[in-house]
C-alpha cells in the first residue's frame, strides 16, 4: 500500500493545529510612499513620506518575541516553518512602475490563504508588497515536493498601475463628512478602483464551506468576484464593518470555534445578512474585551485592536497577546484555555499573533457550519 503524505490541510480557524508558518521581522521597512499608502509617523518622530528600516532595538525585541512564540508552538508538538526574508530595502520594479522599498515578511497571513489542500498566494494591493510571496516560495516548493495533493495556486499578478487607485484619494479622504465615510463603509468604496482583482489573504476568514471576505481598503469587488469563481465549492460572503480605512479582518471579526465569534466592540457589522446568517445558524457573536492600549503603538500602522488578533491551537486553546489582560479573562470565562504570548513588540512589524502565522495543517475536514443559508448572500 502506498501511503501519501498530506502536508497541507486546513479548512477553518480552530481545528487542531499541527503545522504552521511563523513570519520573521528581519529587515522590515517603513515603506517608501506609493499610491496606496504614504506612511506618516510624525508623532513618533518620522514625518510623512519618510521611510527606512525599523530601528534595531525594536527589531531585536520583535525577533525575540517571534522566536519564543515559534518555540512555544514547537514545544506543543506543532511543526513550525519560517520564511526567507529578502532585502526589503531594495528598489523593485515591474514594466509599469518602480517602488523604492518593499515591506517585510512578518505577516504570512496577509499573503497566503490556505483553503483545504490549497495555499493561494494573494494578489496584494500595495506595490511594496508585490514581491512578498517570494519569501514563502522555498516553503511552498517544499510542500509541493512532499505532498502530491498540495494545490499550489497564485492569483493573477496585478499590474498596480496608477489606474488601480483613485487619484488624490488621501487628500479627498481627509475632507470626507461622516456621511461620506458611512457610505464608504457600507459599500467598501475605498482607495482601490475595480480595474483588476485585488485582495490580501488576511481579509478572508474560513469556516469550512463558508468563507467571509472583508471588502476593505486592500480588497476590491473584483477581488471578491475572483475568489468566488476560484472557490466554486465554497459559499463566499462579503462582509462590511463600521471601520474607517479598514485593512484585514482579523482585528475586526474573529471566528473562535463552531458557534462562537468575537466582534470588535467599535467596528460593528454593517451587513445585516451576515448577522442574520450567524443568527440562523445559532452562532453567538460576542463583543471583544477592551484592549490594553489607548492607541497605536510607536511606528505601528496596526491599531490597539490587535488585542483580538489571536491564534487558535484547537477549539479549546487560544494564544492571546500577554498584555491583553481583559481579553484573556473574557476568553477564560468563555471556557478557553488561554496561552499568554508576549507579542506587543511585534506590532510595528505588521500585526499580532494571527497575522504572524499562516496555517499549513489543521486536523479535520470541510464541514458545514452554516446549513441554513440566506438566498443571494
Ligand atoms: N488593520 C487592522 C489590523 C489587522 C490585523 C488594525 O489596525 O486594527
Amino acid at each position: 500500500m502506498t501511503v501519501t503524505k498530506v502536508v497541507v490541510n486546513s479548512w477553518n480557524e480552530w481545528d487542531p493545529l499541527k503545522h504552521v508558518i511563523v513570519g520573521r521581522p528581519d529587515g522590515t521597512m517603513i515603506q517608501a510612499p506609493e499610491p496606496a499608502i504614504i506612511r506618516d509617523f510624525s508623532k513618533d518622530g518620522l514625518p510623512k513620506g519618510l521611510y527606512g528600516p525599523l530601528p534595531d532595538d525594536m527589531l531585536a525585541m520583535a525577533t525575540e518575541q517571534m522566536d519564543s512564540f515559534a518555540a512555544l508552538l514547537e514545544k506543543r508538538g506543532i511543526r513550525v516553518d519560517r520564511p526567507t526574508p529578502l532585502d526589503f530595502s531594495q528598489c523593485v520594479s515591474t514594466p509599469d512602475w518602480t517602488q523604492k522599498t518593499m515591506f517585510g515578511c512578518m505577516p504570512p497571513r496577509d499573503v497566503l490563504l490556505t483553503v483545504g489542500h490549497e495555499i493561494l498566494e494573494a494578489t496584494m494591493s500595495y506595490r511594496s508588497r508585490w514581491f512578498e510571496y517570494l519569501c514563502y516560495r522555498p516553503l511552498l516548493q517544499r510542500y509541493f515536493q512532499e505532498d502530491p495533493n498540495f494545490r499550489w495556486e497564485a492569483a493573477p499578478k496585478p499590474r498596480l498601475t496608477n489606474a488601480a487607485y483613485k487619484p488624490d484619494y488621501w487628500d479627498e479622504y481627509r475632507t470626507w463628512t461622516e456621511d461620506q465615510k458611512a457610505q464608504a463603509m457600507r459599500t467598501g468604496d475605498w482607495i482601490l478602483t475595480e480595474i483588476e482583482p485585488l485582495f490580501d489573504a488576511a481579509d478572508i476568514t474560513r469556516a469550512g464551506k463558508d468563507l467571509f471576505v472583508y471588502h476593505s481598503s486592500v480588497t476590491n469587488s473584483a477581488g471578491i468576484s475572483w475568489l468566488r469563481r476560484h472557490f466554486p465549492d465554497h459559499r463566499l460572503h462579503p462582509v462590511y464593518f463600521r471601520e474607517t480605512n479598514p485593512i484585514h479582518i482579523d482585528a475586526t471579526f474573529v471566528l473562535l470555534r463552531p458557534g462562537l465569534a468575537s466582534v470588535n466592540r467599535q467596528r460593528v457589522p454593517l451587513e445585516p445578512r451576515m448577522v442574520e446568517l450567524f443568527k440562523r445558524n445559532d452562532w453567538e457573536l460576542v463583543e471583544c474585551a477592551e484592549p490594553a492600549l489607548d492607541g497605536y503603538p510607536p511606528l505601528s500602522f496596526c491599531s490597539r485592536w490587535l488585542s483580538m488578533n489571536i491564534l487558535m491551537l484547537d477549539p479549546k486553546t487560544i494564544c492571546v497577546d500577554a498584555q491583553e489582560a481583559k481579553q484573556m479573562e473574557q476568553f477564560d470565562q468563555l471556557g478557553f484555555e488561554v496561552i499568554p504570548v508576549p507579542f506587543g513588540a511585534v506590532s510595528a512589524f505588521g500585526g499580532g499573533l494571527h497575522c504572524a502565522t499562516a496555517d499549513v495543517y489543521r486536523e479535520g475536514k470541510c464541514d458545514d457550519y452554516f446549513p441554513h443559508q440566506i438566498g443571494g448572500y
Side-chain angles (χ1 to χ4, degrees):
M1 194 177 80
T2 338
V3 181
T4 52
K5 187 169 162 194
V6 179
V7 175
V8 177
N9 181 74
S10 175
W11 297 96
N12 57 46
E13 305 291 337
W14 56 77
D15 272 342
L17 183 68
K18 298 292 167 196
H19 185 179
V20 72
I21 299 172
V22 173
R24 285 192 186 279
D26 315 50
T28 302
M29 300 291 291
I30 293 168
Q31 298 114 304
E34 57 176 299
I37 193 81
I38 302 176
R39 295 288 179 216
D40 181 359
F41 292 115
S42 301
K43 73 170 174 50
D44 306 319
L46 201 81
K48 186 175 171 187
L50 288 195
Y51 58 94
L54 282 158
D56 285 347
D57 56 334
M58 287 177 71
L59 175 61
M61 275 160 67
T63 303
E64 205 272 313
Q65 291 193 342
M66 291 195 82
D67 290 352
S68 302
F69 177 46
L72 177 154
L73 296 173
E74 278 174 338
K75 233 178 170 166
R76 297 182 77 102
I78 297 167
R79 178 177 156 192
V80 175
D81 287 335
R82 312 291 300 270
T84 307
L86 297 165
D87 171 7
F88 301 116
S89 69
Q90 68 186 290
C91 183
V92 288
S93 56
T94 70
D96 293 310
W97 46 260
T98 295
Q99 167 67 19
K100 283 192 181 142
T101 73
M102 303 173 71
F103 165 58
C105 65
M106 172 275 169
R109 187 76 61 178
D110 295 6
V111 183
L112 302 177
L113 176 65
T114 310
V115 176
H117 302 304
E118 168 172 338
I119 297 181
L120 172 65
E121 297 168 7
T123 65
M124 310 308 287
S125 63
Y126 289 0
R127 291 177 183 172
S128 54
R129 307 195 71 179
W130 204 96
F131 288 101
E132 212 166 299
Y133 69 96
L134 292 173
C135 305
Y136 305 102
R137 279 288 170 95
L139 299 176
L140 298 174
Q141 271 165 252
R142 207 169 76 215
Y143 306 157
F144 186 72
Q145 281 153 8
E146 289 174 358
D147 177 353
N149 293 314
F150 169 40
R151 288 175 57 88
W152 180 6
E153 297 274 358
K157 289 279 169 269
R159 292 190 69 162
L160 298 185
T161 64
N162 288 348
Y165 310 98
K166 293 177 192 154
D168 303 323
Y169 174 83
W170 289 115
D171 290 336
E172 279 172 25
Y173 178 81
R174 264 179 281 282
T175 68
W176 278 9
T177 61
E178 288 307 308
D179 274 357
Q180 282 171 304
K181 283 186 188 162
Q183 172 66 11
M185 286 185 248
R186 279 194 298 273
T187 56
D189 185 16
W190 306 112
I191 188 170
L192 300 178
T193 66
E194 295 294 341
I195 194 166
E196 59 185 345
L198 296 172
F199 67 93
D200 279 13
D203 271 328
I204 296 129
T205 190
R206 307 158 304 145
K209 274 189 87 62
D210 293 86
L211 302 172
F212 298 90
V213 187
Y214 197 1
H215 192 163
S216 78
S217 66
V218 291
T219 293
N220 62 9
S221 277
I224 298 175
S225 286
W226 188 90
L227 284 161
R228 184 172 279 129
R229 294 181 210 182
H230 184 72
F231 292 114
D233 298 332
H234 282 75
R235 300 176 298 227
L236 206 122
H237 312 280
V239 290
Y240 301 83
F241 298 89
R242 192 173 68 205
E243 182 180 5
T244 48
N245 192 27
I247 302 175
H248 302 161
I249 198 166
D250 47 358
T252 297
F253 183 68
V254 173
L255 304 174
L256 298 169
R257 66 182 179 217
L260 186 66
S262 174
V263 192
N264 187 303
R265 49 199 301 126
Q266 275 181 6
R267 301 169 177 174
V268 297
L270 295 177
E271 171 53 74
R273 290 172 301 176
M274 170 200 150
V275 178
E276 175 60 22
L277 180 65
F278 279 80
K279 207 160 117 197
R280 252 188 217 185
N281 290 281
D282 296 323
W283 279 67
E284 193 189 348
L285 305 185
V286 288
E287 260 189 12
C288 72
E290 192 56 34
L293 303 180
D294 287 336
Y296 286 66
L299 298 177
S300 173
F301 54 87
C302 289
S303 72
R304 60 205 287 259
W305 299 106
L306 286 184
S307 56
M308 58 188 295
N309 192 270
I310 51 85
L311 182 73
M312 302 300 306
L313 300 192
D314 61 52
K316 292 196 173 119
T317 314
I318 187 166
C319 293
V320 186
D321 185 336
Q323 69 187 341
E324 299 298 339
K326 289 185 183 155
Q327 191 54 73
M328 289 193 290
E329 194 185 315
Q330 185 199 40
F331 286 139
D332 182 63
Q333 280 163 9
L334 287 166
F336 293 102
E337 183 207 334
V338 177
I339 305 175
V341 181
F343 221 63
V346 182
S347 168
F349 294 79
L353 293 159
H354 195 254
C355 310
T357 53
D359 290 19
V360 180
Y361 193 99
R362 287 183 189 266
E363 286 174 356
K365 55 187 194 339
C366 185
D367 282 328
D368 187 352
Y369 302 97
F370 296 87
H372 308 291
Q373 290 283 310
I374 294 180
Y377 178 56

